[in-house]
Amino acid sequence: MAPRIGGVRLVHDGWARFLVAEVIPEDGTRMTREIEDHGRAVAVLPYDPERRVATLVSQFRAPVLYSEGPPTHMEVPAGLLDEGAAEDEARREAMEETGLRLSALDLIASAWSMPGISTERMDLFLAAYGVADRTGAGGGLAAEGEAVAVHEIPLRDLAAMGWDGRLTDMKSLVLLYALQLRRPDLF
């Protein structure tokens, strides 16, 4: 018999949901596992191939600070998948956080971000943009308490950040490495 979930108990329902699941493995024993029920998410690395820059954001991340990291964290624009298609949500997040209007998106992967603890599955995109696509200020949504700083970084510098450990966000690293593989001419 394949492993199965015997039951689930909700222990917190807020921005994220936390569950305790009873898991019944193949041998029929019972164990519990905690699950952070986050749902689907999207992330996008906007890059300008003409000027050879990428746009990332930084903002306060409580878990990073709690884990003795810096008070702000550099990463690609990302967010939860609300109700629309992943591509539409990635475009919305990019506009809210960076002020960039993105059109064509290149899907890199749809992957579990932390399969040992979270239900989050993230669709990762690359998106080329040009100077004319900066149509807003970015900065996130004040109503959601977001204070997002926008950073346009030369791709060569971003690659160095990835290699020397200054870029510490997993989704951002995956997208940076994907761009390097697909467009080595930009670096």
Side-chain angles (χ1 to χ4, degrees):
M1 177 187 305
R4 61 186 171 90
I5 303 290
V8 176
R9 177 174 47 94
L10 177 66
V11 293
H12 175 77
D13 193 3
W15 181 75
R17 292 172 12 118
F18 296 95
L19 314 167
V20 175
E22 178 187 50
V23 178
I24 306 168
E26 293 177 2
D27 67 6
T29 60
R30 295 176 184 271
M31 64 181 86
T32 59
R33 292 291 184 263
E34 291 81 19
I35 298 172
E36 186 261 349
D37 187 19
H38 203 68
R40 296 288 303 271
V42 295
V44 59
L45 174 57
Y47 68 97
D48 182 334
E50 296 298 317
R51 295 182 305 127
R52 296 181 184 208
V53 297
T55 299
L56 278 74
V57 297
S58 62
Q59 58 188 310
F60 172 73
R61 295 294 196 198
V64 174
L65 183 60
Y66 175 78
S67 298
E68 300 179 10
T72 61
H73 190 248
M74 181 79 67
E75 59 192 89
V76 297
L80 295 177
L81 185 63
D82 291 332
E83 297 179 15
E87 294 84 356
D88 295 336
E89 293 293 317
R91 287 183 188 98
R92 181 185 56 77
E93 285 294 336
M95 178 55 76
E96 287 175 5
E97 294 185 7
T98 69
L100 289 171
R101 179 189 62 226
L102 302 178
S103 51
L105 298 177
D106 183 11
L107 178 65
I108 298 304
S110 181
W112 304 104
S113 58
M114 299 179 299
I117 188 72
S118 180
T119 63
E120 182 178 83
R121 185 169 181 149
M122 185 172 285
D123 291 343
L124 301 167
F125 298 96
L126 296 175
Y129 72 92
V131 174
D133 295 316
R134 184 164 304 283
T135 61
L141 297 178
E144 293 183 7
E146 294 179 331
V148 176
V150 180
H151 307 275
E152 199 168 67
I153 303 169
L155 289 172
R156 184 167 292 176
D157 294 350
L158 186 59
M161 291 171 64
W163 289 114
D164 69 18
R166 287 178 289 149
L167 186 61
T168 58
D169 178 66
M170 189 70 71
K171 64 187 173 296
S172 302
L173 286 166
V174 168
L175 287 168
L176 168 61
Y177 297 155
L179 182 60
Q180 287 178 307
L181 286 171
R182 291 192 179 190
R183 293 294 311 271
D185 59 299
L186 296 179
F187 294 87

